[in-house]
Amino acid sequence: MSLNSLASTRVAREAEARANVRILSSSSEDAVGPREDDVQNALSALVEYVPAETITLYIATVSSLPVLTAAVPALNALTVYIVFAALTPALFALVYAGKRRAAGESRWPGWRAWPWWPTVAATVAFLAWGLAVPDGPFSTTDSGRVLGSLVAIFVSTLLGVFGRFFTPKTT
């Protein structure tokens, strides 16, 4: 899922929660059964927090690293990995603030209302998937590449599972 989709989902959930509070205060009916968007298949849970924008830019940068290193000798795969790890939450914050603004809300919801779980989950997902990229900072051997790929799949699965606990429920 992209950071754009992750931010859109969060803003939509916030709007739905506000609407439900108004509805629940004026109605005594309870919703019955699971919501459609709560039912997910294994693939969607696997890629739910993977920041597609950051991963795409990272792969392009790592692919062009030999040329970039010729121009900037201090640049290496580890530095690029760290920069993109820091870029992930910053990009999410920008996209999220833009989505809130487009929805007519203030850009900054406050520290307590900030979507901490998607921010952290997207960053952790990047850290894991960044290891699976060929020519990444830690994939110097075949076993390192295989291990990076397994870590990426395992971490993505865990993030999807943990997301059910950390994502606020809107009913």
Side-chain angles (χ1 to χ4, degrees):
M1 182 177 280
S2 69
L3 293 175
N4 184 37
S5 298
L6 199 57
S8 293
T9 301
R10 181 57 188 224
V11 170
R13 282 184 180 164
E14 289 171 356
E16 182 180 332
R18 283 189 303 277
N20 283 338
V21 167
R22 287 187 288 257
I23 290 170
L24 289 176
S25 65
S26 64
S27 171
S28 63
E29 293 182 26
D30 290 332
V32 179
R35 291 178 25 176
E36 260 184 57
D37 59 349
D38 285 343
V39 180
Q40 295 185 342
N41 61 29
L43 182 59
S44 65
L46 183 64
V47 298
E48 185 171 2
Y49 296 104
V50 177
E53 296 90 346
T54 313
I55 292 289
T56 304
L57 293 171
Y58 177 68
I59 289 172
T61 304
V62 168
S63 298
S64 60
L65 199 55
V67 175
L68 293 173
T69 307
V72 183
L75 196 61
N76 61 33
L78 182 59
T79 304
V80 171
Y81 180 75
I82 292 169
V83 166
F84 277 92
L87 185 63
T88 300
L91 279 176
F92 177 78
L94 289 171
V95 171
Y96 177 70
K99 295 286 182 182
R100 284 185 56 87
R101 181 68 172 189
E105 300 290 327
S106 69
R107 287 188 177 125
W108 176 252
W111 287 103
R112 295 181 63 83
W114 185 260
W116 291 108
W117 171 250
T119 305
V120 171
T123 304
V124 170
F126 171 79
L127 291 170
W129 281 92
L131 298 176
V133 173
D135 300 325
F138 306 110
S139 60
T140 56
T141 64
D142 287 339
S143 59
R145 285 185 279 278
V146 169
L147 183 61
S149 298
L150 291 174
V151 165
I153 292 170
F154 185 72
V155 167
S156 291
T157 302
L158 286 179
L159 288 173
V161 171
F162 289 143
R164 305 301 165 256
F165 294 103
F166 294 114
T167 302
K169 184 174 178 134
T170 57
T171 317

